[in-house]
Amino acid sequence: MWQVFSENWEFFLLGTYPRGPIGGLAMTLIIAVVSLAITFPFAIGVALLRGSKSVWVRRACEAYTTLIRGCPLLMLLLWIYFFLPQLLGFPLSPFTTLVIAIVFFQTAYLSEVIRGGIEALHKGQTEAALALGLKRWMIIWKIILPQALYNVIPGILNQFTSVIKETSLAYVIALGEVTYSASQVNGILMTRPMEVYMVLAALYFVLCFSLTQIAGLLDRRIARNRSAVR
Amino acid sequence: MISIQSLNKDFGAFRALSDINARVEKGEVVVLCGPSGSGKSTLLRTLNRLEPITTGRIEIAGVDVNSRGVDINKLRQKIGFVFQQYNLFPHLTALDNIVIGLTKILKMPRDEATKRAMALLERVNLTRRASNYPAQLSGGEQQRVAIVRSLAFQPEIMLFDEPTSALDAEMIGEVLALMRELAATGMTMMCVTHEMRFAREAADRVWLMEKGKIIVDTDKAAFFNSHPNERVQRFLSSIN
């Protein structure tokens, strides 16, 4: 297994870069970071709209999260891959296709995490801000969101590990990230699939394990800070 | 300054406030007391519209609090409100808890806001705590910061909702001292409290509430010196 990695590490980590396009684990990380960065503001938006005064807005957001949570990402990816270019009238790169799918999918989950953070806040925070005369959006922006997001940092990190695993679906639309790299290495070596896919597993494990460790650490620290408040 | 007319407030089928009629004059200090669940806090919270009312009318400095046209945020700046649980913003320092309102609501430049906030912290001997977060302050310190946070807007009325109920015994004194000092400056104040010490020393009037009604509205001397109403006697003996 070590031999397979040491002989092909550049391909596992970077794909054909610098001779060709960047790929491998680097691509996996790029997809995950870009997707999460776009997901984040959308998720905040949906989380806030679920507390909207309008029943219809609340219902629409609820319908969206329920629907998305009831369908597999792979199906969503195929829909976007085949239907969206027809609707738009121009082709989408595999990268864009995957990012759109993940953003659409993860917004539903991440908004639930953030909503949990908002609802966990003591209602006295809003009341104190109202009593001072702060406007609604100012209360959300300056009082509610900073506290809610801080409290759900571990949840957001855990969601990030999910995104990393989901990027492996890039394989089905021939986008060269780390799973795709592994299958190519396997195709060249032909005889050592076991070792190749053990390397792949190890790469995912190291990445996700370190993220969950950080999340756990932050979770304990945040819990400590919170108990100090009251 | 405050006028309440035929005020009713329902929570579903439960009538929390029932036909309240009362007035508070400028500079008066009114203590609201009564058994828990009698509607004291609810009454206080209707005054700055934290709690919407069912029927009736509340006027603060001539403004109908519940009319559609009223700029409620503007009105709330004139009415300081102090909570039992202090409700400081835990993600902001003591100083920033005061500054945020001044810069975001009054649009004051930051250095001017900081100056005013520091002056207020000095007034309550907490300048050395300016950069501490609420979690690092004692309950009494938090409540004093909460009080000057409201004072930063130079309000005309201060409302206190059981300001000392969450405090350890040794911290109650420092908060009551600040409130007495405030009363002495001629601030119009209403205070829900079980601290009869404060009522004896600083109140002008006492309202005794029971089952959503004000059953006694009298001046302090009459309240504490053998008031003829037997419910006053029962209340006083129940808390002593």
Side-chain angles (χ1 to χ4, degrees):
Chain A
M1 178 180 148
W2 176 248
Q3 195 195 355
V4 168
F5 182 67
S6 62
E7 281 167 8
N8 300 283
W9 67 272
E10 280 174 305
F11 201 69
F12 271 114
L13 297 185
L14 297 170
T16 53
Y17 189 80
R19 281 162 287 120
I22 200 161
L25 199 63
M27 191 59 175
T28 297
L29 278 172
I30 291 171
I31 300 167
V33 170
V34 169
S35 303
L36 201 72
I38 302 174
T39 301
F40 200 57
F42 280 113
I44 291 175
V46 172
L48 290 175
L49 288 177
R50 288 204 62 170
S52 157
K53 277 184 189 153
S54 152
V55 185
W56 293 109
V57 173
R58 281 205 309 271
R59 286 214 183 130
C61 293
E62 205 182 320
Y64 159 74
T65 44
T66 312
L67 267 179
I68 290 292
R69 296 207 291 175
C71 80
L73 177 57
L74 179 56
M75 188 196 84
L76 200 64
L77 179 64
L78 293 174
W79 274 43
I80 290 167
Y81 187 73
F82 290 114
F83 296 154
L84 201 56
Q86 282 189 16
L87 274 176
L88 295 172
F90 55 83
L92 292 171
S93 70
F95 181 82
T96 317
T97 306
L98 182 62
V99 168
I100 291 174
I102 294 179
V103 167
F104 220 74
F105 191 72
Q106 278 296 338
T107 297
Y109 287 89
L110 197 60
S111 71
E112 288 290 289
V113 172
I114 295 172
R115 189 168 72 105
I118 293 173
E119 284 175 0
L121 292 182
H122 193 264
K123 75 175 180 6
Q125 289 295 307
T126 308
E127 288 187 345
L130 282 173
L132 287 180
L134 278 165
K135 293 198 170 70
R136 281 258 165 212
W137 65 269
M138 195 65 94
I139 296 175
I140 290 169
W141 192 243
K142 290 283 174 188
I143 307 297
I144 303 300
L145 277 184
Q147 296 186 58
L149 293 180
Y150 175 77
N151 289 342
V152 298
I153 289 173
I156 294 169
L157 276 182
N158 281 327
Q159 219 52 44
F160 192 56
T161 59
S162 301
V163 175
I164 285 173
K165 288 177 274 183
E166 284 154 6
T167 57
S168 62
L169 290 176
Y171 179 76
V172 299
I173 54 171
L175 174 58
E177 44 64 73
V178 70
T179 303
Y180 192 78
S181 296
S183 76
Q184 282 187 311
V185 171
N186 186 41
I188 294 162
L189 298 178
M190 295 291 270
T191 54
R192 303 162 80 178
M194 193 76 153
E195 287 158 80
V196 170
Y197 286 111
M198 287 296 265
V199 169
L200 180 64
L203 288 174
Y204 275 121
F205 180 78
V206 167
L207 209 56
C208 294
F209 180 73
S210 31
L211 270 170
T212 46
Q213 287 304 103
I214 296 170
L217 199 78
L218 288 172
D219 201 19
R220 283 191 292 279
R221 168 180 271 190
I222 289 166
R224 208 168 54 223
N225 286 351
R226 206 182 299 143
S227 63
V229 172
R230 203 154 290 162
Chain B
M1 192 58 130
I2 304 173
S3 140
I4 307 166
Q5 296 148 27
S6 343
L7 171 63
N8 288 296
K9 163 75 187 173
D10 298 336
F11 289 111
F14 175 69
R15 176 140 288 191
L17 295 175
S18 170
D19 195 33
I20 304 267
N21 288 282
R23 292 180 63 82
V24 178
E25 303 304 330
K26 192 170 166 54
E28 252 184 338
V29 177
V30 176
V31 164
L32 284 80
C33 54
S36 48
S38 57
K40 310 176 298 279
S41 291
T42 308
L43 176 58
L44 206 66
R45 291 160 56 87
T46 60
L47 298 180
N48 71 345
R49 219 166 93 182
L50 275 183
E51 208 67 76
I53 64 174
T54 308
T55 56
R57 189 180 166 88
I58 298 170
E59 276 180 31
I60 304 265
V63 180
D64 178 356
V65 175
N66 292 287
S67 79
R68 280 185 150 275
V70 71
D71 181 347
I72 189 66
N73 290 323
K74 196 130 221 162
L75 187 65
R76 281 170 174 160
Q77 289 160 36
K78 289 192 207 165
I79 310 171
F81 199 103
V82 176
F83 297 85
Q84 182 179 355
Q85 294 291 348
Y86 340 126
N87 293 348
L88 290 180
F89 306 128
H91 61 302
L92 300 176
T93 61
L95 182 70
D96 283 338
N97 261 279
I98 306 171
V99 165
I100 188 170
L102 298 175
T103 54
K104 298 301 167 194
I105 302 170
L106 300 186
K107 308 285 171 210
M108 210 181 255
R110 183 152 177 114
D111 53 340
E112 197 184 323
T114 306
K115 212 181 282 172
R116 186 189 282 191
M118 283 308 283
L120 284 161
L121 285 175
E122 193 176 345
R123 182 168 163 191
V124 290
N125 287 320
L126 287 173
T127 22
R128 77 211 142 80
R129 298 300 227 162
S131 55
N132 284 129
Y133 287 89
Q136 299 164 316
L137 305 180
S138 75
E141 288 173 328
Q142 288 191 55
Q143 193 60 297
R144 284 186 283 153
V145 173
I147 291 172
V148 292
R149 176 173 72 174
S150 293
L151 290 180
F153 291 94
Q154 295 163 338
E156 294 171 29
I157 299 169
M158 285 291 287
L159 306 176
F160 295 85
D161 188 3
E162 306 207 25
T164 56
S165 304
L167 294 174
D168 294 337
E170 68 266 32
M171 292 166 187
I172 293 176
E174 62 194 58
V175 171
L176 289 183
L178 174 59
M179 289 169 62
R180 272 197 306 271
E181 187 194 314
L182 207 57
T185 64
M187 175 71 76
T188 309
M189 286 166 60
M190 287 181 71
C191 180
V192 173
T193 187
H194 299 287
E195 285 296 331
M196 288 302 118
R197 264 194 294 166
F198 175 74
R200 280 178 205 276
E201 288 166 17
D204 296 308
R205 304 185 70 79
V206 180
W207 296 358
L208 178 62
M209 292 188 69
E210 202 179 274
K211 297 191 180 118
K213 288 187 157 75
I214 299 178
I215 55 170
V216 173
D217 173 356
T218 181
D219 65 42
K220 173 180 58 178
F223 189 82
F224 287 109
N225 298 327
S226 59
H227 194 276
N229 190 323
E230 57 106 9
R231 281 191 283 194
V232 172
Q233 293 313 320
R234 215 187 318 139
F235 175 75
L236 286 175
S237 62
S238 74
I239 56 164
N240 285 331

